[in-house]
Amino acid sequence: MGENFENTNIQGEEQLAEETQSAFDSAANTDAQEEVAADTITAGTLSATSDTKDKKIKLTKDETKALAKHILILIALACFRSITTYMFTIPNGFAPGGLGGISSIIYNAVVLIAPDNQVLLTIFDPGLTMFIMNIPFIIAAAVVLNKKFAISTFCIVSIYSALMFLLRVVNFPQFDVSAQPGYKILAALAGGATAGFGLGIMLRHNMSMGGTDIVGKILHKKNPDTSAQRWILLCDCIVASLSGILGIIMLDLDTMTASEAIVTVLAPIFFSFVSLVFGSITTDIVQAGFLSSAVINVITDKPDEISNAISEKLHRGVTMSTAVGCYTKVEHKVLTCVVSKRQISAAKKIIEEVDPLAFTYIVKAHEVAGKGFHSAG
């Protein structure tokens, strides 16, 4: 019995040694093949007869369409943001947060101090300064976040900056209402709405204009419990407040009264905040959508009757789950149903008629995608 056991061990060890040696030989052959393939690629002879060497990375039809769509959206959004910023934000001295706001403040300060110095106006062009300021943020995004996001941001910032510079060179028309202060609120609203619309689409497709957006994403990744949006909002508020520098530059204490001086300093700040807030509201609308629905949760002992009535009368699906009351230890059924806002009253009426003792609570859903509702795209 002992001899058989020892023989079995010896045979097993010999077999293991043979398998190990075979694995090493196979690995050596694989390494040699990889070196040959690398040399072949370096030499530019991808047309070799070997099937292994002929293999190339190819995108599927769906992947190609998705990539083309992503690129088109990227270019369109970059062009849209640059045109709207050039038309509404820059000529009126608004600074609705972010690096774009800082570049706007710098450029408008140069315009007020040296309006005829074309060299300074070119050096401190808002598109150029924003591109330069974004470089360290984009590098940080590539290192900390992911390269796809960093590349998309770099492309958007590059197109944005180049087009902004080109628009200034060709003297593209602007919505400049500096001579008509009564229209400045329209410029602030238009600038905020267009910026918010562009940002909302960007966030849907994992893009950004860099700057504080990248800072927010990095903070959230490093510490998910950190409210990155609060930090971004704080930075934007600081930038908007800095637009008061433009008012200080325009001060003429020899001819202005105290009230006029206050208006001159605070007006750029107020208009910047109007643009910032309206842009934030527009971004939320674009992301969440105008269509609002409701999630109805019902704790009841008549789940079948309620679900059947909702299905028949409202043509909505119902999900059933089980819950136990912590105090009573009694088991109940929980119904969850998503309805449009126009069906909320009808659903409440059905629940009340079928089970007056049911416990119901309704939560607003900003966006719902799926059968019976609009698409998420």
Side-chain angles (χ1 to χ4, degrees), residues 204 284-294 316 338-342 364-369 372-376:
R204 277 177 170 260
D284 292 339
I285 291 174
V286 172
Q287 284 192 282
F290 284 103
L291 298 178
S292 60
S293 302
R316 294 297 183 190
V338 180
V339 299
S340 66
K341 59 183 179 181
R342 295 182 180 180
K364 186 177 181 180
H366 289 283
E367 183 174 9
V368 181
F373 295 90
H374 69 288
S375 172

Side-chain angles (χ1 to χ4, degrees), residues 53-249:
K53 295 174 185 177
D54 283 339
K55 290 183 178 179
K56 296 180 181 179
I57 298 175
K58 295 182 179 180
L59 296 176
T60 64
K61 186 176 180 180
D62 292 338
E63 289 173 341
T64 303
K65 287 183 178 180
L67 179 60
K69 180 181 177 182
H70 183 83
I71 293 174
L72 289 175
I73 293 174
L74 184 149
I75 296 174
L77 288 175
C79 293
F80 177 79
R81 284 295 301 271
S82 61
I83 293 173
T84 55
T85 302
Y86 176 83
M87 286 185 63
F88 300 109
T89 303
I90 300 299
N92 298 293
F94 301 146
L99 296 184
I102 295 176
S103 62
S104 176
I105 294 173
I106 295 173
Y107 178 76
N108 280 284
V110 174
V111 170
L112 292 173
I113 296 172
D116 299 325
N117 193 325
Q118 294 300 320
V119 175
L120 286 178
L121 292 176
T122 301
I123 293 175
F124 293 101
D125 180 89
L128 183 60
T129 54
M130 183 174 178
F131 178 80
I132 294 174
M133 289 188 293
N134 258 304
I135 291 176
F137 291 95
I138 295 174
I139 294 174
V143 174
V144 180
L145 300 175
N146 62 76
K147 292 182 179 179
K148 180 181 177 182
F149 174 78
I151 292 173
S152 295
T153 303
F154 176 78
C155 292
I156 288 178
V157 172
S158 299
I159 297 173
Y160 171 92
S161 302
L163 188 54
M164 281 277 288
F165 186 84
L166 180 62
L167 291 172
R168 189 185 66 83
V169 170
V170 300
N171 198 22
F172 191 81
Q174 296 176 303
F175 192 78
D176 187 355
V177 294
S178 55
Q180 298 172 298
Y183 288 98
K184 248 189 177 179
I185 187 65
L186 296 179
L189 294 175
T194 52
F197 176 81
L199 179 59
I201 301 297
M202 285 180 182
L203 294 177
R204 277 177 170 260
H205 295 276
N206 193 29
M207 303 176 186
S208 82
M209 288 295 295
T212 53
D213 295 340
I214 294 177
V215 174
K217 284 182 174 289
I218 291 176
L219 287 174
H220 182 70
K221 182 176 181 178
K222 292 296 183 179
N223 187 4
D225 295 332
T226 301
S227 179
Q229 292 300 325
R230 292 184 180 180
W231 287 104
I232 294 175
L233 179 61
L234 177 61
C235 293
D236 290 340
C237 290
I238 293 174
V239 173
S241 300
L242 290 175
S243 62
I245 294 173
L246 302 177
I248 295 175
I249 295 175

Side-chain angles (χ1 to χ4, degrees), residues 15-33:
Q15 183 177 1
L16 178 60
E18 292 176 358
E19 291 176 353
T20 304
Q21 185 62 38
S22 176
F24 281 128
D25 294 341
S26 177
N29 292 334
T30 301
D31 293 338
Q33 291 174 359

